[in-house]
Amino acid sequence: MNRPLPSAPDVHVLVVGDVMLDRYLYGRTERVSEEAPVPIVQVDGSEDRLGGAANVALNVVSLGAGCTLVGAVGDDRGGSVVAELLDAANVDADLVVVDGWRTTLKERVVSMRKQIARMDFEAPLAESVAIEVAKRVARHAGGKDAIVVEDYDKGAIDRPQRILAAAQGITTVVDPKFKPFTEYRGAALLKPNRRELRQALGRWPDDGELAELGPALARASGIDAIALTRGGDGLTLFESSGPVVHVPALGIDVYDSTGAGDTVAAAFGVCAARGWTWSDSARLANVAGALVCAKAGTAAVSLAELNAALRDNVSTARAASNRRQLAEAVARARRQGARIVFTNGCFDILHAGHVGYLDEARQLGDRLIVAINDDDSVRRLKGEGRPVNKLRERMRVLEGLAAVDWVVPFSEDTPEALLEEIRPDVLVKGGDYAAHEVVGGEFVRRYGGDVRVLSEVGEYSTTKLVEFIGFPERPADA
């Protein structure tokens, strides 16, 4: 389930890191130079945009939260432009202005809507500047709801522990570069990309091994969670003491991935400031990162366009009130590479056992379908007096669970016909079943699907709840 992100004027995120200026030169390319085999670009115009930690700050504000930025710029025109752009974006900036140092500049040449060259102008920062940055973080950290550390290895974050010590007690999201992950010990969440995680592990494992190595790496590094951005393969969340959650990429035409990591880091920071779980934050950040990839150059995602995309995605996922709609939604998800998990039951009175079971089922794939018996079939299975809650009420409760993507009713006594139409990748039932007892299991195995029987989650029973409430005892719920 994708939660919308409400406007958060009362939430304030502190961003610290390497500040950059991104400059775009736009022009026409009509011939090749006689001096060398390179295109000649007739420059028609230019545009300056915020980059690095400044782009993270821009995205935080664009997502409806307040933001303070701490970093360093040179005592030059580039530093002045960064300050002007931050002021125009309503970012409260406390920038160390460094005499004799040039503001980091990335200059890109764009022709025919394509980037054909990039020139980087940068120099290392003195350690004294990094120490001053850490002091200013300590000055601003009090009262902030979350901190985002944007480390591009340009020198502002030369020793991450200085920043993390200043941020102690505040949820901290780190976008790392190529430092050992242990240098970020104490951070709540680390957001590496493929290259950064490969360097941390020393190699790139297959997905099965990665599911074990990711949480282990988080534990060894002293970090609560790692959110791995995987480009067209989506985002994978490894919690040190929890399940692995994979969020498939949004089906969107990628125009330019520049700055997408900044947007994802900002989204995690805003969600952390609001106290969201990492799994809910990962789903929202994944959508935000995809949206910015549809834009040209370094850019920000607005709260309005993010929530519009979330609503579209939610309506696609929830528009499963009949089998045709479910089949269409599943087909769209499969085109994005999603692994489909299916389970079914009456779910008459939803209890903690059901919630734990559905959470466990969701971890087996990317999307979870819950097929729910309609009222007549529940009555045939459970007897008169059941269901206690009508179909619409039972569906509404299931739709509110973060683990559930689609809820669909069926009128037959078993879901076998629905299984034949959907052909899920994984069929799941609770631990009170044996593997050979799972209805539809033989059919799913024949086409290569997986059938799982999950562990029982605590001593919970709908029958006991019904008896406690005062109804006659009924057979146990599925």
Side-chain angles (χ1 to χ4, degrees):
M1 178 182 178
N2 291 321
R3 297 172 59 184
L5 183 66
S7 180
D10 56 328
V11 164
H12 204 100
V13 178
L14 174 62
V15 176
V16 54
D18 295 297
V19 173
M20 305 178 198
L21 178 63
D22 285 8
R23 177 167 293 149
Y24 292 85
L25 303 177
Y26 302 102
R28 293 169 284 109
T29 303
E30 297 175 347
R31 59 195 177 95
V32 175
S33 172
E34 296 177 358
E35 302 168 359
V38 295
I40 295 175
V41 180
Q42 179 63 47
V43 176
D44 297 323
S46 65
E47 181 183 10
D48 289 331
R49 301 187 187 183
L50 296 168
N55 186 40
V56 175
L58 176 65
N59 273 272
V60 167
V61 171
S62 188
L63 291 175
C67 183
T68 296
L69 171 66
V70 175
V73 295
D75 185 15
D76 57 5
R77 177 56 186 159
S80 298
V81 171
V82 167
E84 291 167 5
L85 292 173
L86 288 169
D87 184 62
N90 293 318
V91 174
D92 180 15
D94 186 2
L95 301 176
V96 181
V97 180
V98 185
D99 291 335
W101 181 76
R102 180 172 185 169
T103 301
T104 301
L105 171 67
K106 294 183 178 181
E107 196 167 70
R108 299 172 174 88
V109 180
V110 179
S111 180
M112 304 292 290
R113 297 174 58 86
K114 292 184 179 179
Q115 186 180 142
I116 62 174
R118 189 182 100 178
M119 292 77 71
D120 288 4
F121 303 88
E122 59 186 49
L125 275 169
E127 185 179 8
S128 59
V129 177
I131 292 172
E132 177 60 25
V133 167
K135 288 180 179 177
R136 297 193 186 194
V137 170
R139 190 183 308 158
H140 289 285
K144 299 302 185 292
D145 300 291
I147 296 177
V148 178
V149 178
E150 189 70 18
D151 189 355
Y152 271 92
D153 276 346
K154 306 301 181 186
I157 313 292
D158 69 328
R159 297 186 185 179
Q161 285 302 311
R162 285 194 188 118
I163 305 297
L164 291 166
Q168 194 167 16
I170 303 172
T171 302
T172 304
V173 173
V174 177
D175 192 356
K177 205 60 177 174
F178 295 117
K179 295 180 178 71
F181 283 6
T182 51
E183 292 197 24
Y184 302 105
R185 182 177 298 276
L189 180 131
L190 211 61
K191 188 211 70 62
N193 59 25
R194 287 176 183 269
R195 288 180 60 208
E196 292 152 359
L197 190 72
R198 181 186 292 112
Q199 174 150 322
L201 293 173
R203 60 190 176 87
W204 185 259
D206 60 39
D207 282 354
E209 190 179 12
L210 186 61
E212 297 180 2
L213 293 177
L217 179 61
R219 290 192 293 271
S221 303
I223 296 159
D224 294 341
I226 293 174
L228 171 64
T229 54
R230 307 176 69 172
D233 292 329
L235 185 152
T236 304
L237 176 70
F238 308 98
E239 296 194 58
S240 61
S241 58
V244 175
V245 176
H246 180 69
V247 187
L250 199 66
I252 198 166
D253 291 331
V254 175
Y255 179 75
D256 188 346
S257 62
T258 304
D262 299 341
T263 300
V264 171
F268 269 114
V270 173
C271 290
R274 297 195 68 92
W276 284 28
T277 65
W278 290 130
S279 58
D280 281 350
S281 302
R283 293 183 176 94
L284 183 140
N286 184 63
V287 173
L291 290 175
V292 83
C293 287
K295 302 185 178 189
T298 310
V301 173
S302 72
L303 184 64
E305 64 184 321
L306 174 62
N307 282 334
L310 290 169
R311 282 194 299 272
D312 289 345
N313 202 29
V314 169
S315 64
T316 297
R318 298 302 180 193
S321 59
N322 62 58
R323 295 181 183 186
R324 179 187 58 78
Q325 292 175 332
L326 177 62
E328 291 173 355
V330 168
R332 283 191 292 268
R334 280 203 165 110
R335 286 195 293 271
Q336 299 172 17
R339 179 176 168 87
I340 308 300
V341 183
F342 180 103
T343 192
N344 65 280
C346 297
F347 299 99
D348 191 2
I349 300 179
L350 199 71
H351 52 63
H354 289 135
V355 174
Y357 160 73
L358 293 172
D359 282 341
E360 190 176 351
R362 181 61 169 74
Q363 307 315 315
L364 298 176
D366 301 310
R367 298 292 180 89
L368 174 62
I369 300 169
V370 177
I372 185 169
N373 294 79
D374 71 6
D375 293 344
D376 287 340
S377 65
V378 172
R379 194 172 298 109
R380 291 194 299 271
L381 291 168
K382 304 297 184 182
E384 291 300 323
R386 298 286 296 275
V388 174
N389 292 299
K390 300 301 182 184
L391 176 64
R392 183 61 257 172
E393 296 163 350
R394 291 182 284 131
M395 290 182 66
R396 181 68 189 88
V397 172
L398 286 168
E399 287 170 356
L401 298 181
V404 178
D405 293 285
W406 295 295
V407 182
V408 63
F410 65 100
S411 58
E412 302 90 341
D413 290 343
T414 75
E416 290 176 288
L418 187 54
L419 286 170
E420 291 178 6
E421 296 168 18
I422 301 301
R423 298 173 72 90
D425 300 290
V426 187
L427 171 61
V428 177
K429 287 298 287 186
D432 50 348
Y433 284 80
H436 68 276
E437 295 175 331
V438 176
V439 174
E442 184 178 347
F443 168 74
V444 172
R445 292 188 192 95
R446 278 203 304 270
Y447 64 74
D450 191 10
V451 179
R452 299 285 190 94
V453 174
L454 302 185
S455 57
E456 293 187 53
V457 186
E459 296 296 327
Y460 301 101
S461 166
T462 299
T463 298
K464 292 178 181 178
L465 287 173
V466 169
E467 183 178 4
F468 178 78
I469 293 169
F471 289 93
E473 184 175 350
R474 304 296 183 191
D477 204 344

